[in-house]
Amino acid sequence: QSELPSPPATTAGTEAAPAFGPVAVRVLSAARHPDADKLTVCQVDVGNVAAPVQVVCGAHNVRPGLLAVFVPAGGSVSLSGEAIEARAVRGVESLGMLCGGGELGLERELPSHVVELNADSANCLGKPFEADWVMPWPPPLNLSAPKPPFADLWARVFDAAEQVEAFG
């Protein structure tokens, strides 16, 4: 685990400096929470921190390799300005939050899902989140992708089934 940098300090009588906001991260590992079936304990690469940062998440789509949006403890969520605190979630320390579309004010929001970023954002780990990094939904269909080896087998099965139905 690693310590995140402290939020910018403010001086009395001045307006607060912008808090740490959402940044691009890569999920390095995702393991079931020891005391909660619907929670996942993740290690994320924030890019600008030496060691992975631990975060507890309830999203269905969190998995190793996922490029996502993270707000560290001491930061705030864009839309609500809600401050994120480091805290224990059912006994496991969480040092921030992986964000869904609702927290970021995005038009497309999938309940119980964190925002997935496109592969181009992999070079931007630890940098402030930009909305154009969000993976399009539904994902674009790649018609030039190679067919799986069993695709021809299924085509033959369906052809045979049609012939049996046609000729009885």
PDB file of all heavy atoms in Angstrom, residues 76-108:
ATOM      1  N   SER A  76     -12.328  15.316  -4.198  1.00  0.00           N
ATOM      2  CA  SER A  76     -13.776  15.453  -4.247  1.00  0.00           C
ATOM      3  C   SER A  76     -14.302  14.989  -5.589  1.00  0.00           C
ATOM      4  O   SER A  76     -13.598  15.004  -6.590  1.00  0.00           O
ATOM      5  CB  SER A  76     -14.202  16.894  -3.971  1.00  0.00           C
ATOM      6  OG  SER A  76     -13.761  17.734  -5.005  1.00  0.00           O
ATOM      7  N   VAL A  77     -15.564  14.595  -5.584  1.00  0.00           N
ATOM      8  CA  VAL A  77     -16.245  14.152  -6.788  1.00  0.00           C
ATOM      9  C   VAL A  77     -16.702  15.390  -7.548  1.00  0.00           C
ATOM     10  O   VAL A  77     -17.232  16.331  -6.956  1.00  0.00           O
ATOM     11  CB  VAL A  77     -17.443  13.244  -6.434  1.00  0.00           C
ATOM     12  CG1 VAL A  77     -18.166  12.792  -7.674  1.00  0.00           C
ATOM     13  CG2 VAL A  77     -16.976  12.051  -5.626  1.00  0.00           C
ATOM     14  N   SER A  78     -16.491  15.376  -8.856  1.00  0.00           N
ATOM     15  CA  SER A  78     -16.770  16.538  -9.693  1.00  0.00           C
ATOM     16  C   SER A  78     -18.165  17.098  -9.521  1.00  0.00           C
ATOM     17  O   SER A  78     -18.343  18.284  -9.289  1.00  0.00           O
ATOM     18  CB  SER A  78     -16.582  16.183 -11.173  1.00  0.00           C
ATOM     19  OG  SER A  78     -15.298  15.756 -11.421  1.00  0.00           O
ATOM     20  N   LEU A  79     -19.161  16.259  -9.656  1.00  0.00           N
ATOM     21  CA  LEU A  79     -20.537  16.738  -9.714  1.00  0.00           C
ATOM     22  C   LEU A  79     -21.030  17.289  -8.387  1.00  0.00           C
ATOM     23  O   LEU A  79     -21.542  18.398  -8.320  1.00  0.00           O
ATOM     24  CB  LEU A  79     -21.457  15.601 -10.190  1.00  0.00           C
ATOM     25  CG  LEU A  79     -22.888  15.989 -10.496  1.00  0.00           C
ATOM     26  CD1 LEU A  79     -22.930  17.021 -11.621  1.00  0.00           C
ATOM     27  CD2 LEU A  79     -23.691  14.776 -10.897  1.00  0.00           C
ATOM     28  N   SER A  80     -20.853  16.538  -7.319  1.00  0.00           N
ATOM     29  CA  SER A  80     -21.421  16.943  -6.035  1.00  0.00           C
ATOM     30  C   SER A  80     -20.458  17.752  -5.181  1.00  0.00           C
ATOM     31  O   SER A  80     -20.876  18.445  -4.263  1.00  0.00           O
ATOM     32  CB  SER A  80     -21.859  15.703  -5.241  1.00  0.00           C
ATOM     33  OG  SER A  80     -20.717  14.968  -4.851  1.00  0.00           O
ATOM     34  N   GLY A  81     -19.178  17.649  -5.475  1.00  0.00           N
ATOM     35  CA  GLY A  81     -18.188  18.301  -4.630  1.00  0.00           C
ATOM     36  C   GLY A  81     -17.988  17.559  -3.316  1.00  0.00           C
ATOM     37  O   GLY A  81     -17.274  18.019  -2.439  1.00  0.00           O
ATOM     38  N   GLU A  82     -18.613  16.385  -3.186  1.00  0.00           N
ATOM     39  CA  GLU A  82     -18.519  15.578  -1.966  1.00  0.00           C
ATOM     40  C   GLU A  82     -17.078  15.170  -1.718  1.00  0.00           C
ATOM     41  O   GLU A  82     -16.394  14.657  -2.609  1.00  0.00           O
ATOM     42  CB  GLU A  82     -19.391  14.335  -2.127  1.00  0.00           C
ATOM     43  CG  GLU A  82     -19.246  13.338  -1.008  1.00  0.00           C
ATOM     44  CD  GLU A  82     -19.964  12.018  -1.309  1.00  0.00           C
ATOM     45  OE1 GLU A  82     -20.676  11.916  -2.313  1.00  0.00           O
ATOM     46  OE2 GLU A  82     -19.772  11.091  -0.515  1.00  0.00           O
ATOM     47  N   ALA A  83     -16.588  15.421  -0.503  1.00  0.00           N
ATOM     48  CA  ALA A  83     -15.215  15.050  -0.145  1.00  0.00           C
ATOM     49  C   ALA A  83     -15.136  13.545   0.078  1.00  0.00           C
ATOM     50  O   ALA A  83     -16.013  12.947   0.691  1.00  0.00           O
ATOM     51  CB  ALA A  83     -14.772  15.799   1.103  1.00  0.00           C
ATOM     52  N   ILE A  84     -14.066  12.939  -0.423  1.00  0.00           N
ATOM     53  CA  ILE A  84     -13.832  11.511  -0.255  1.00  0.00           C
ATOM     54  C   ILE A  84     -12.864  11.331   0.906  1.00  0.00           C
ATOM     55  O   ILE A  84     -11.846  12.015   0.970  1.00  0.00           O
ATOM     56  CB  ILE A  84     -13.249  10.900  -1.542  1.00  0.00           C
ATOM     57  CG1 ILE A  84     -14.174  11.169  -2.738  1.00  0.00           C
ATOM     58  CG2 ILE A  84     -12.982   9.407  -1.369  1.00  0.00           C
ATOM     59  CD1 ILE A  84     -15.572  10.608  -2.604  1.00  0.00           C
ATOM     60  N   GLU A  85     -13.195  10.419   1.805  1.00  0.00           N
ATOM     61  CA  GLU A  85     -12.355  10.177   2.978  1.00  0.00           C
ATOM     62  C   GLU A  85     -11.789   8.766   2.939  1.00  0.00           C
ATOM     63  O   GLU A  85     -12.441   7.851   2.443  1.00  0.00           O
ATOM     64  CB  GLU A  85     -13.186  10.334   4.257  1.00  0.00           C
ATOM     65  CG  GLU A  85     -13.783  11.710   4.442  1.00  0.00           C
ATOM     66  CD  GLU A  85     -14.698  11.771   5.665  1.00  0.00           C
ATOM     67  OE1 GLU A  85     -14.852  10.749   6.363  1.00  0.00           O
ATOM     68  OE2 GLU A  85     -15.243  12.851   5.901  1.00  0.00           O
ATOM     69  N   ALA A  86     -10.586   8.612   3.476  1.00  0.00           N
ATOM     70  CA  ALA A  86     -10.052   7.267   3.681  1.00  0.00           C
ATOM     71  C   ALA A  86     -10.835   6.668   4.839  1.00  0.00           C
ATOM     72  O   ALA A  86     -11.037   7.317   5.865  1.00  0.00           O
ATOM     73  CB  ALA A  86      -8.567   7.338   4.024  1.00  0.00           C
ATOM     74  N   ARG A  87     -11.319   5.450   4.653  1.00  0.00           N
ATOM     75  CA  ARG A  87     -12.086   4.815   5.722  1.00  0.00           C
ATOM     76  C   ARG A  87     -12.091   3.318   5.530  1.00  0.00           C
ATOM     77  O   ARG A  87     -11.806   2.819   4.444  1.00  0.00           O
ATOM     78  CB  ARG A  87     -13.504   5.353   5.775  1.00  0.00           C
ATOM     79  CG  ARG A  87     -14.347   5.042   4.560  1.00  0.00           C
ATOM     80  CD  ARG A  87     -15.724   5.718   4.662  1.00  0.00           C
ATOM     81  NE  ARG A  87     -16.569   5.360   3.562  1.00  0.00           N
ATOM     82  CZ  ARG A  87     -17.564   4.490   3.626  1.00  0.00           C
ATOM     83  NH1 ARG A  87     -17.839   3.894   4.777  1.00  0.00           N
ATOM     84  NH2 ARG A  87     -18.293   4.221   2.586  1.00  0.00           N
ATOM     85  N   ALA A  88     -12.434   2.642   6.594  1.00  0.00           N
ATOM     86  CA  ALA A  88     -12.559   1.189   6.530  1.00  0.00           C
ATOM     87  C   ALA A  88     -13.962   0.845   6.052  1.00  0.00           C
ATOM     88  O   ALA A  88     -14.948   1.389   6.547  1.00  0.00           O
ATOM     89  CB  ALA A  88     -12.298   0.571   7.888  1.00  0.00           C
ATOM     90  N   VAL A  89     -14.048  -0.034   5.078  1.00  0.00           N
ATOM     91  CA  VAL A  89     -15.326  -0.522   4.579  1.00  0.00           C
ATOM     92  C   VAL A  89     -15.421  -1.985   4.971  1.00  0.00           C
ATOM     93  O   VAL A  89     -14.692  -2.825   4.449  1.00  0.00           O
ATOM     94  CB  VAL A  89     -15.436  -0.359   3.046  1.00  0.00           C
ATOM     95  CG1 VAL A  89     -16.764  -0.910   2.542  1.00  0.00           C
ATOM     96  CG2 VAL A  89     -15.252   1.093   2.637  1.00  0.00           C
ATOM     97  N   ARG A  90     -16.247  -2.245   5.974  1.00  0.00           N
ATOM     98  CA  ARG A  90     -16.375  -3.591   6.540  1.00  0.00           C
ATOM     99  C   ARG A  90     -15.018  -4.158   6.937  1.00  0.00           C
ATOM    100  O   ARG A  90     -14.687  -5.300   6.640  1.00  0.00           O
ATOM    101  CB  ARG A  90     -17.097  -4.514   5.589  1.00  0.00           C
ATOM    102  CG  ARG A  90     -18.561  -4.179   5.457  1.00  0.00           C
ATOM    103  CD  ARG A  90     -19.300  -5.367   5.020  1.00  0.00           C
ATOM    104  NE  ARG A  90     -20.679  -5.268   5.400  1.00  0.00           N
ATOM    105  CZ  ARG A  90     -21.534  -6.220   5.164  1.00  0.00           C
ATOM    106  NH1 ARG A  90     -21.148  -7.325   4.587  1.00  0.00           N
ATOM    107  NH2 ARG A  90     -22.773  -6.082   5.505  1.00  0.00           N
ATOM    108  N   GLY A  91     -14.205  -3.309   7.563  1.00  0.00           N
ATOM    109  CA  GLY A  91     -12.933  -3.742   8.103  1.00  0.00           C
ATOM    110  C   GLY A  91     -11.751  -3.680   7.146  1.00  0.00           C
ATOM    111  O   GLY A  91     -10.636  -4.011   7.524  1.00  0.00           O
ATOM    112  N   VAL A  92     -11.962  -3.270   5.892  1.00  0.00           N
ATOM    113  CA  VAL A  92     -10.867  -3.177   4.923  1.00  0.00           C
ATOM    114  C   VAL A  92     -10.695  -1.715   4.538  1.00  0.00           C
ATOM    115  O   VAL A  92     -11.651  -1.046   4.132  1.00  0.00           O
ATOM    116  CB  VAL A  92     -11.156  -4.032   3.664  1.00  0.00           C
ATOM    117  CG1 VAL A  92     -10.070  -3.845   2.623  1.00  0.00           C
ATOM    118  CG2 VAL A  92     -11.280  -5.499   4.050  1.00  0.00           C
ATOM    119  N   GLU A  93      -9.450  -1.225   4.647  1.00  0.00           N
ATOM    120  CA  GLU A  93      -9.176   0.180   4.366  1.00  0.00           C
ATOM    121  C   GLU A  93      -9.348   0.506   2.886  1.00  0.00           C
ATOM    122  O   GLU A  93      -8.905  -0.220   2.011  1.00  0.00           O
ATOM    123  CB  GLU A  93      -7.742   0.518   4.792  1.00  0.00           C
ATOM    124  CG  GLU A  93      -7.416   1.994   4.623  1.00  0.00           C
ATOM    125  CD  GLU A  93      -6.004   2.325   5.063  1.00  0.00           C
ATOM    126  OE1 GLU A  93      -5.112   1.483   4.904  1.00  0.00           O
ATOM    127  OE2 GLU A  93      -5.822   3.433   5.569  1.00  0.00           O
ATOM    128  N   SER A  94     -10.036   1.628   2.610  1.00  0.00           N
ATOM    129  CA  SER A  94     -10.222   2.136   1.253  1.00  0.00           C
ATOM    130  C   SER A  94      -9.687   3.560   1.211  1.00  0.00           C
ATOM    131  O   SER A  94     -10.088   4.405   2.004  1.00  0.00           O
ATOM    132  CB  SER A  94     -11.705   2.108   0.877  1.00  0.00           C
ATOM    133  OG  SER A  94     -11.879   2.528  -0.462  1.00  0.00           O
ATOM    134  N   LEU A  95      -8.761   3.812   0.282  1.00  0.00           N
ATOM    135  CA  LEU A  95      -8.095   5.111   0.206  1.00  0.00           C
ATOM    136  C   LEU A  95      -8.634   5.990  -0.913  1.00  0.00           C
ATOM    137  O   LEU A  95      -7.925   6.838  -1.440  1.00  0.00           O
ATOM    138  CB  LEU A  95      -6.584   4.913   0.024  1.00  0.00           C
ATOM    139  CG  LEU A  95      -5.895   4.197   1.178  1.00  0.00           C
ATOM    140  CD1 LEU A  95      -4.440   3.936   0.856  1.00  0.00           C
ATOM    141  CD2 LEU A  95      -6.041   4.989   2.461  1.00  0.00           C
ATOM    142  N   GLY A  96      -9.898   5.789  -1.276  1.00  0.00           N
ATOM    143  CA  GLY A  96     -10.507   6.602  -2.321  1.00  0.00           C
ATOM    144  C   GLY A  96     -11.735   5.921  -2.881  1.00  0.00           C
ATOM    145  O   GLY A  96     -12.313   5.032  -2.246  1.00  0.00           O
ATOM    146  N   MET A  97     -12.106   6.323  -4.101  1.00  0.00           N
ATOM    147  CA  MET A  97     -13.333   5.807  -4.715  1.00  0.00           C
ATOM    148  C   MET A  97     -13.151   5.688  -6.224  1.00  0.00           C
ATOM    149  O   MET A  97     -12.636   6.602  -6.865  1.00  0.00           O
ATOM    150  CB  MET A  97     -14.482   6.766  -4.421  1.00  0.00           C
ATOM    151  CG  MET A  97     -15.791   6.371  -5.048  1.00  0.00           C
ATOM    152  SD  MET A  97     -17.124   7.511  -4.616  1.00  0.00           S
ATOM    153  CE  MET A  97     -16.998   8.668  -5.951  1.00  0.00           C
ATOM    154  N   LEU A  98     -13.569   4.548  -6.784  1.00  0.00           N
ATOM    155  CA  LEU A  98     -13.687   4.415  -8.233  1.00  0.00           C
ATOM    156  C   LEU A  98     -15.042   4.991  -8.614  1.00  0.00           C
ATOM    157  O   LEU A  98     -16.045   4.714  -7.957  1.00  0.00           O
ATOM    158  CB  LEU A  98     -13.560   2.953  -8.661  1.00  0.00           C
ATOM    159  CG  LEU A  98     -12.186   2.323  -8.435  1.00  0.00           C
ATOM    160  CD1 LEU A  98     -12.223   0.830  -8.737  1.00  0.00           C
ATOM    161  CD2 LEU A  98     -11.134   3.007  -9.279  1.00  0.00           C
ATOM    162  N   CYS A  99     -15.084   5.793  -9.665  1.00  0.00           N
ATOM    163  CA  CYS A  99     -16.284   6.588  -9.986  1.00  0.00           C
ATOM    164  C   CYS A  99     -17.152   5.982 -11.071  1.00  0.00           C
ATOM    165  O   CYS A  99     -16.658   5.457 -12.069  1.00  0.00           O
ATOM    166  CB  CYS A  99     -15.870   7.979 -10.435  1.00  0.00           C
ATOM    167  SG  CYS A  99     -14.971   8.899  -9.200  1.00  0.00           S
ATOM    168  N   GLY A 100     -18.449   6.129 -10.887  1.00  0.00           N
ATOM    169  CA  GLY A 100     -19.428   5.804 -11.908  1.00  0.00           C
ATOM    170  C   GLY A 100     -19.792   7.061 -12.686  1.00  0.00           C
ATOM    171  O   GLY A 100     -19.372   8.168 -12.340  1.00  0.00           O
ATOM    172  N   GLY A 101     -20.578   6.888 -13.721  1.00  0.00           N
ATOM    173  CA  GLY A 101     -20.973   8.022 -14.552  1.00  0.00           C
ATOM    174  C   GLY A 101     -21.736   9.082 -13.796  1.00  0.00           C
ATOM    175  O   GLY A 101     -21.596  10.279 -14.054  1.00  0.00           O
ATOM    176  N   GLY A 102     -22.565   8.678 -12.822  1.00  0.00           N
ATOM    177  CA  GLY A 102     -23.352   9.638 -12.049  1.00  0.00           C
ATOM    178  C   GLY A 102     -22.484  10.572 -11.235  1.00  0.00           C
ATOM    179  O   GLY A 102     -22.746  11.776 -11.168  1.00  0.00           O
ATOM    180  N   GLU A 103     -21.422  10.039 -10.637  1.00  0.00           N
ATOM    181  CA  GLU A 103     -20.539  10.889  -9.829  1.00  0.00           C
ATOM    182  C   GLU A 103     -19.776  11.899 -10.682  1.00  0.00           C
ATOM    183  O   GLU A 103     -19.379  12.947 -10.212  1.00  0.00           O
ATOM    184  CB  GLU A 103     -19.511  10.046  -9.060  1.00  0.00           C
ATOM    185  CG  GLU A 103     -20.081   9.286  -7.903  1.00  0.00           C
ATOM    186  CD  GLU A 103     -20.377   7.831  -8.205  1.00  0.00           C
ATOM    187  OE1 GLU A 103     -20.088   7.370  -9.324  1.00  0.00           O
ATOM    188  OE2 GLU A 103     -20.919   7.163  -7.324  1.00  0.00           O
ATOM    189  N   LEU A 104     -19.570  11.555 -11.953  1.00  0.00           N
ATOM    190  CA  LEU A 104     -18.793  12.423 -12.835  1.00  0.00           C
ATOM    191  C   LEU A 104     -19.665  13.342 -13.683  1.00  0.00           C
ATOM    192  O   LEU A 104     -19.150  14.138 -14.458  1.00  0.00           O
ATOM    193  CB  LEU A 104     -17.905  11.570 -13.746  1.00  0.00           C
ATOM    194  CG  LEU A 104     -16.878  10.714 -13.011  1.00  0.00           C
ATOM    195  CD1 LEU A 104     -16.234   9.722 -13.961  1.00  0.00           C
ATOM    196  CD2 LEU A 104     -15.838  11.595 -12.346  1.00  0.00           C
ATOM    197  N   GLY A 105     -20.985  13.215 -13.541  1.00  0.00           N
ATOM    198  CA  GLY A 105     -21.887  14.064 -14.310  1.00  0.00           C
ATOM    199  C   GLY A 105     -21.971  13.678 -15.769  1.00  0.00           C
ATOM    200  O   GLY A 105     -22.307  14.501 -16.614  1.00  0.00           O
ATOM    201  N   LEU A 106     -21.681  12.411 -16.083  1.00  0.00           N
ATOM    202  CA  LEU A 106     -21.746  11.961 -17.471  1.00  0.00           C
ATOM    203  C   LEU A 106     -23.181  11.647 -17.847  1.00  0.00           C
ATOM    204  O   LEU A 106     -23.978  11.206 -17.020  1.00  0.00           O
ATOM    205  CB  LEU A 106     -20.873  10.725 -17.674  1.00  0.00           C
ATOM    206  CG  LEU A 106     -19.384  10.916 -17.398  1.00  0.00           C
ATOM    207  CD1 LEU A 106     -18.648   9.591 -17.546  1.00  0.00           C
ATOM    208  CD2 LEU A 106     -18.793  11.954 -18.329  1.00  0.00           C
ATOM    209  N   GLU A 107     -23.478  11.843 -19.103  1.00  0.00           N
ATOM    210  CA  GLU A 107     -24.828  11.604 -19.606  1.00  0.00           C
ATOM    211  C   GLU A 107     -25.204  10.135 -19.490  1.00  0.00           C
ATOM    212  O   GLU A 107     -26.295   9.783 -19.119  1.00  0.00           O
ATOM    213  CB  GLU A 107     -24.882  12.040 -21.072  1.00  0.00           C
ATOM    214  CG  GLU A 107     -26.273  12.143 -21.629  1.00  0.00           C
ATOM    215  CD  GLU A 107     -26.239  12.760 -23.005  1.00  0.00           C
ATOM    216  OE1 GLU A 107     -25.868  13.933 -23.131  1.00  0.00           O
ATOM    217  OE2 GLU A 107     -26.594  12.041 -23.952  1.00  0.00           O
ATOM    218  N   ARG A 108     -24.259   9.259 -19.825  1.00  0.00           N
ATOM    219  CA  ARG A 108     -24.507   7.816 -19.772  1.00  0.00           C
ATOM    220  C   ARG A 108     -24.063   7.285 -18.411  1.00  0.00           C
ATOM    221  O   ARG A 108     -22.916   7.414 -18.029  1.00  0.00           O
ATOM    222  CB  ARG A 108     -23.716   7.116 -20.874  1.00  0.00           C
ATOM    223  CG  ARG A 108     -23.850   5.610 -20.821  1.00  0.00           C
ATOM    224  CD  ARG A 108     -22.890   4.927 -21.765  1.00  0.00           C
ATOM    225  NE  ARG A 108     -21.498   5.178 -21.466  1.00  0.00           N
ATOM    226  CZ  ARG A 108     -20.782   4.485 -20.578  1.00  0.00           C
ATOM    227  NH1 ARG A 108     -21.340   3.535 -19.878  1.00  0.00           N
ATOM    228  NH2 ARG A 108     -19.517   4.753 -20.384  1.00  0.00           N
TER     229      ARG A 108
END
